[in-house]
Amino acid sequence: MTMRLVQIAMNAQDDSTLGRFWAQALGWDSSVEVPGVVTNLEPEGLAYPDPATVYIDVITVPEPKTVKNRVHVDLATTSPAHHAELVARLQGLGATPADVGQGDVPWTVLADPEGNEFCVAEPRESYRDTGPIAAIVADCTDPRAMARFWDEATDWTLHEVTDGHAVLRSGKGVGPYLRLVRTPDVKTVKNRVHLDLRPYPGGDRAAEVARVRALGATDIDLGQGEDVPWTCLVDPEGNEFDVLAPA
């Protein structure tokens, strides 16, 4: 058996406010899973989990954001006019321009109301069928090693790998990409955005956890306790991710 990447968990100091921003930004539905703690975001018309998208959970935490996120999303656009319209609409919702040292690039870097960086991509052929989230982008120091881990940990397919970046996508050939981008920075604090993996129906969470440990994942205690239906791990570069129950 194996697993698929099903959702992004995004930390916030106010899940309802940040959840509202991202629901409006993506045109998705939002629902409160745990009042004041977790807000779920999902596109209308898809039954969770669906490989055509990666869902979002916004989770309230007490800690404020202190450093640039190592994981962010790229939003897709279909034309220069759409790019300009989307940037303007997002700023109207509360996004602000962000400088992460990107220089003169064809995409636009913004921050959401809690300071989480994200990009509005210029029109790209590879992003034409991804849905509103074009890619989940993760910083790393060794894209080749990280690509090997994520390629074996999930059923996502490796599309491209170089010393500078790697690209994976669901084995179904739909939905957003996972882009692993080489950066000189190393991880210093807990990521405020992490990935959630879920075994397929009939799979076994404990068996999958053991399998990814053998690939280089290690356990981490984030205060989750022993009675939660997920397992907290970190990948070989220390990025947190959760293995959920099969569904």
Side-chain angles (χ1 to χ4, degrees), residues 158-190:
L158 183 61
H159 283 242
E160 183 180 356
V161 61
T162 70
D163 289 342
H165 73 277
V167 180
L168 299 93
R169 196 184 194 189
S170 167
K172 307 294 185 184
V174 295
Y177 293 86
L178 175 62
R179 301 182 64 90
L180 307 170
V181 179
R182 185 171 188 167
T183 64
D185 306 319
V186 296
K187 184 174 181 286
T188 57
V189 299
K190 180 177 80 72

Side-chain angles (χ1 to χ4, degrees), residues 43-122:
E44 185 178 357
L46 292 181
Y48 175 91
D50 191 298
T53 195
V54 172
Y55 298 77
I56 297 177
D57 273 359
V58 183
I59 304 167
T60 292
V61 299
E63 305 86 14
K65 181 177 182 289
T66 57
V67 300
K68 172 185 168 292
N69 286 344
R70 293 184 67 80
V71 181
H72 71 266
V73 297
D74 282 357
L75 303 185
T77 62
T78 57
S79 68
H82 180 216
H83 180 276
E85 291 165 3
L86 180 56
V87 169
R89 186 170 69 82
L90 292 166
Q91 289 180 310
L93 293 173
T96 54
D99 184 354
V100 293
Q102 68 269 22
D104 185 15
V105 292
W107 58 87
T108 301
V109 183
L110 300 173
D112 69 23
E114 291 216 0
N116 300 299
E117 303 86 1
F118 66 97
C119 296
V120 179
E122 77 283 5

Side-chain angles (χ1 to χ4, degrees), residues 115-131:
N116 300 299
E117 303 86 1
F118 66 97
C119 296
V120 179
E122 77 283 5
R124 301 183 193 181
E125 179 63 21
S126 60
Y127 287 174
R128 61 183 171 79
D129 63 348
T130 60

Side-chain angles (χ1 to χ4, degrees), residues 200-221:
Y200 282 90
D204 180 87
R205 176 164 60 99
E208 291 295 337
V209 167
R211 187 176 66 82
V212 294
R213 285 188 188 123
L215 298 174
T218 53
D219 295 273
I220 187 170
D221 185 353

